[in-house]
Amino acid sequence: MNNNTNFSKSLGHNDSSGFDFAQEMLQGDETFAINFDRIQKHPVLGYIIFEYLRCHESQSVTPYSSHPNRYFFKNKHTFISLFNITKDLNAVLYLVNYAKSGTRYENQIKVMQVEDVNEFNTAAPVKTIDRNMTRKEFSDWFRKLNRECSVRN
């Protein structure tokens, strides 16, 4: 339940239309932008950026075993850009591995707080502090963090 009806609302639907619109307008051109999954301002932590990384059932990794270092070469510009924005905003960046509800690994959620991104460190370009959670543990933590963000600065 949301008690902050003056300035906020519950999530109602996924708005992928903005992504679809940008994709249409670029007409196949390479993009030099990234989409944020979530950004919010915490009264103590400042800005918090979330990037959700879905592990598909067809993949050989699980949310607990996957890490951006495994596929950095495929998405390095995204991770570098996210980290640069994080530094510019003096923010906290969380990468969240998850599996779709109803799938084999739905109860595995890995939260990775990004400490550094260094593309020249070929062994481990993305340095993170990791925490494995269940879906309920993540939901409880995420909801608490979200409620804390309701405090106006």
Side-chain angles (χ1 to χ4, degrees):
M1 182 167 162
N2 187 346
N3 295 325
N4 301 306
T5 55
N6 293 340
F7 67 94
S8 191
K9 64 181 182 176
S10 298
L11 290 177
H13 68 285
N14 180 5
D15 184 11
S16 63
S17 61
F19 173 84
D20 294 341
F21 177 71
Q23 186 177 39
E24 175 191 347
M25 294 298 104
L26 287 171
Q27 299 179 34
D29 293 349
E30 288 184 43
T31 184
F32 298 97
I34 57 169
N35 293 323
F36 286 97
D37 285 322
R38 183 177 179 91
I39 186 167
Q40 61 192 91
K41 189 169 185 185
H42 190 277
V44 175
L45 301 173
Y47 286 104
I48 302 169
I49 300 169
F50 286 91
E51 181 68 14
Y52 303 125
L53 307 170
R54 182 172 159 196
C55 293
H56 295 269
E57 283 189 290
S58 61
Q59 294 175 300
S60 60
V61 294
T62 70
Y64 285 172
S65 68
S66 185
H67 192 279
N69 289 335
R70 294 177 66 115
Y71 54 91
F72 182 77
F73 64 96
K74 290 183 182 179
N75 293 330
K76 80 177 190 176
H77 295 295
T78 297
F79 294 121
I80 291 168
S81 295
L82 278 169
F83 190 66
N84 285 339
I85 292 165
T86 299
K87 290 189 302 187
D88 289 347
L89 292 176
N90 195 26
V92 177
L93 173 59
Y94 290 111
L95 305 176
V96 180
N97 285 353
Y98 74 99
K100 190 174 177 183
S101 185
T103 62
R104 182 176 178 186
Y105 297 107
E106 71 178 345
N107 208 31
Q108 291 187 8
I109 309 252
K110 180 190 221 175
V111 178
M112 298 166 279
Q113 182 175 339
V114 178
E115 296 293 303
D116 190 32
V117 176
N118 180 350
E119 69 179 306
F120 302 108
N121 180 348
T122 56
V126 182
K127 181 181 174 188
T128 61
I129 298 171
D130 302 349
R131 182 171 173 204
N132 291 338
M133 299 182 181
T134 65
R135 206 169 194 87
K136 181 177 181 337
E137 288 169 337
F138 178 77
S139 177
D140 291 346
W141 174 77
F142 190 65
R143 292 180 72 209
K144 178 181 180 288
L145 194 63
N146 186 63
R147 282 190 302 274
E148 290 170 356
C149 290
S150 70
V151 176
R152 297 288 240 170
N153 294 336

